[in-house]
Amino acid sequence: MKRKKWMLLLLFALSLSACRGQERAELSSDAASAESAASESAGGSVGSEETESGVLSNGAKLITVGETQAAAETLSSKIEFQNVDETVYVTGSNINIRKSPGKGGALQGTAQKGQSFRRTGYSKEWSRILVDGKESYIASRYLSAKQSESSASAADAAGSAGQAAQSLSFDPSWPLAANSKIHSGSALLYKADASVSNGKTICVNAGHGTKGGSDVRTLCHPDGTAKVTGGSTSAGSTTATAVSYGTTLKDGTTEAKANLTAALLLRDKLLAAGFNVLMIREGDDIQLDNIARTCLANQYANVHIAIHYDSTDSDKGAFFMSVPEVGTYRRMEPVASHWQEHNALGKAVIGGIRQAGGKIFGAGNMNMDLTQTSYSTIPSIDLEIGDRASDHSPAVQGKLMDGVVLGLKQYFGL
Ligand SMILES: [Zn+2]
């Protein structure tokens, strides 16, 4: 009898300590994610709504996280939203959009100054907004029911059409989307002014620019088969980096940065020419891997153009990555149904660049088996606009992007 009691006591003590251990493990993993959020926030790439408390000192980390969590739990259970139905505008940069109200709510993406949303619920701290038809939450103090002059001019700066962009998040239930591993970021959709709109939407994908993207691997082909050509991932591989870092140009500029300046130029030129534009990224870090980027383009755009600089040093000129002449690859879906469109789009764009006076490499194409092409269900190209030795000044990039617009107009018969 005595022994049994002892055993029970012992069991009780053991289960208590097991619980404690688990609690501590959860807490410290939360601390780790808070730490990375804080360091990203310091880099200016992840959103803010907790500007003051977001930067945690090392010593205070655990306590702060615990408090934040508790506050978040209290908030989401007690929060009462006043039902509203209005358009609101974002007044800050990189503002977090969360799946539930409170600083502990899972991150869904970030919103940019001047962006507009439908607000369906208001409380002093948090607002319920619709992102892609889904209820999401954003700190009320970064929203204004009026488009202020400063946010209007920010929207002007962001898009020459003067319209705020719509934030579009990734949905893992889309076709082929289950293979994506990084997809918490959102793309931005700009609509061309109605007076010039041609109704076509171009996805402009500034290559690279995903923090941590090279530490994660995704399937090269949706069916798990191996890559048929080399490249940054060698032939025969079944997985590739989710988003590689990219090269560095000879003057020290990262390829990701040069791709972005070209993409921003292209965005404005496309909007002026009447195209809608789906921008995959407008900052140094977007948490969207190559598969997520491609699925967003598949969903919301008519064509997909990724912008890159090649890693050679010969200033060889622009070209696109064409679909390799390998039977097994060309018979694999969705490549089988779309490879001719990809190549036709590439030819048109290179033709436009040539007309605009841009330098072209060889015949203007190179066969390459890419994740982008392997998952694209719309005409889609990786466009290399130069290499490490190329001049990437605004003048040269502007000329190249004029060529891309020209090529797209010809592709659509506009
Ligand atoms: Zn690249």
Side-chain angles (χ1 to χ4, degrees), residues 116-136:
S116 65
F117 294 99
R118 202 84 204 138
R119 175 155 66 185
T120 61
Y122 171 81
S123 78
K124 193 166 168 266
E125 299 251 10
W126 294 93
S127 282
R128 186 175 65 223
I129 57 168
L130 294 179
V131 178
D132 232 6
K134 274 189 225 157
E135 288 188 346
S136 310

Side-chain angles (χ1 to χ4, degrees), residues 193-206:
D193 192 90
S195 61
V196 292
S197 174
N198 60 41
K200 303 291 181 194
T201 302
I202 313 300
C203 173
V204 175
N205 175 2

Side-chain angles (χ1 to χ4, degrees), residues 208 255 308-309:
H208 314 287
E255 185 206 342
H308 289 265
Y309 281 85

Side-chain angles (χ1 to χ4, degrees), residues 207-208 244-247 255-256 259 307-311 382-384:
H208 314 287
S244 63
Y245 183 78
T247 188
E255 185 206 342
N259 294 340
I307 296 175
H308 289 265
Y309 281 85
D310 200 17
S311 56
D382 171 310
L383 179 66
E384 307 278 324

Side-chain angles (χ1 to χ4, degrees), residues 226-368:
K227 261 190 90 178
V228 300
T229 67
S232 50
T233 302
S234 55
S237 311
T238 55
T239 63
T241 50
V243 183
S244 63
Y245 183 78
T247 188
T248 301
L249 308 189
K250 272 191 153 174
D251 67 357
T253 308
T254 62
E255 185 206 342
K257 200 144 232 152
N259 294 340
L260 182 58
T261 55
L264 292 169
L265 283 172
L266 180 57
R267 175 196 66 188
D268 291 350
K269 289 176 188 293
L270 285 169
L271 284 167
F275 291 98
N276 304 322
V277 182
L278 178 71
M279 289 296 281
I280 293 295
R281 75 175 167 101
E282 295 195 337
D284 294 338
D285 176 27
I286 186 76
Q287 289 297 298
L288 292 169
D289 62 19
N290 288 330
I291 296 175
R293 295 174 188 216
T294 301
C295 290
L296 277 158
N298 290 344
Q299 202 66 25
Y300 295 112
N302 296 101
V303 305
H304 177 182
I305 296 180
I307 296 175
H308 289 265
Y309 281 85
D310 200 17
S311 56
T312 54
D313 292 319
S314 52
D315 184 21
K316 66 185 176 194
F319 63 100
F320 78 100
M321 299 295 199
S322 46
V323 179
E325 294 169 43
V326 177
T328 50
Y329 189 60
R330 288 191 174 182
R331 283 193 298 272
M332 176 193 86
E333 289 294 357
V335 180
S337 301
H338 300 280
W339 69 267
Q340 282 156 313
E341 297 171 356
H342 304 327
N343 286 356
L345 172 68
K347 268 191 187 151
V349 168
I350 292 297
I353 294 177
R354 188 179 278 120
Q355 267 176 274
K359 189 172 177 178
I360 307 295
F361 167 62
N365 70 296
M366 185 187 287
N367 284 339
M368 196 66 73

